[in-house]
C-alpha cells in the first residue's frame, strides 16, 4: 500500500498507509482523532523553483505527451512564423545544387570530397 500525506489543523503533517481507493478520503489524526484531508507536499526544490524554469519544464512535459506537428496550415496561422524561420519557406539566394545529365547531384565548389548518392 502507498503512503499518503495528510494535514491536521492542530498537529500539522502526518502520513499513513492507505489503499488507492481510499486515498482521497480523510483520515483520523493519530494524535487527536480529528478527520484530516489529504495534502500533496511539494519538495522545496520544486516549490522555490524559478518561474521561468518551471514554465520551461511544463512546456517540455506537455510537448512530450502532446506533440505539435508542423503543417503548412499551422505555420500560416502562427503569428510567430516568418519567412526567415526556414520551416518550409524557400531560403534566399541561389542554390548551388546541379543535376548532371544522368541524374546525379553535383555541388560545384562546395564540397568536392563528397561523393553523390
Amino acid at each position: 500500500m502507498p503512503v499518503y500525506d495528510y494535514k491536521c489543523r492542530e498537529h500539522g503533517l502526518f502520513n499513513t498507509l492507505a489503499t488507492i481507493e481510499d486515498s482521497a478520503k480523510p483520515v483520523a489524526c493519530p494524535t487527536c482523532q480529528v478527520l484530516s484531508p489529504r495534502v500533496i507536499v511539494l519538495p522545496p526544490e520544486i516549490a522555490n523553483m524559478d518561474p521561468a524554469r518551471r514554465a520551461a519544464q511544463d512546456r517540455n512535459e506537455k510537448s512530450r505527451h502532446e506533440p505539435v506537428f508542423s503543417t503548412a496550415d499551422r505555420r500560416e496561422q502562427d503569428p510567430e512564423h516568418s519567412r526567415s524561420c526556414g520551416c518550409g519557406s524557400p531560403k534566399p539566394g541561389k542554390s548551388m545544387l546541379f543535376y548532371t545529365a544522368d541524374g546525379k547531384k553535383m555541388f560545384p565548389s562546395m564540397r568536392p570530397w563528397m561523393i553523390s548518392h
Side-chain angles (χ1 to χ4, degrees):
M1 276 195 293
V3 176
Y4 294 103
D5 295 317
Y6 297 89
K7 186 173 184 180
C8 176
R9 289 183 187 245
E10 300 265 335
H11 300 101
L13 290 173
F14 65 95
N15 52 33
T16 187
L17 293 171
T19 62
I20 293 175
E21 293 83 24
D22 295 336
S23 64
K25 297 178 183 175
V27 173
C29 173
T31 307
C32 64
Q33 301 303 317
V34 173
L35 289 179
S36 304
R38 179 178 168 208
V39 294
I40 298 175
V41 180
L42 293 176
E45 298 86 26
I46 295 175
N48 298 330
M49 186 183 294
D50 178 43
R53 183 173 179 177
R54 183 178 303 156
Q57 287 185 349
D58 289 343
R59 193 170 42 252
N60 288 343
E61 186 69 21
K62 181 180 178 187
S63 67
R64 180 174 157 200
H65 299 292
E66 301 171 18
V68 176
F69 296 100
S70 179
T71 63
D73 295 335
R74 185 177 293 255
R75 287 190 301 269
E76 288 174 5
Q77 295 172 357
D78 189 2
E80 295 179 8
H81 172 73
S82 67
R83 290 206 167 268
S84 63
C85 71
C87 65
S89 302
K91 293 184 179 178
K94 189 175 179 182
S95 173
M96 298 297 291
L97 172 66
F98 293 100
Y99 288 95
T100 61
D102 58 354
K104 293 182 181 175
K105 293 179 185 176
M106 188 171 137
F107 301 91
S109 74
M110 290 186 71
R111 295 183 182 143
W113 60 89
M114 293 186 67
I115 300 172
S116 178
H117 51 276

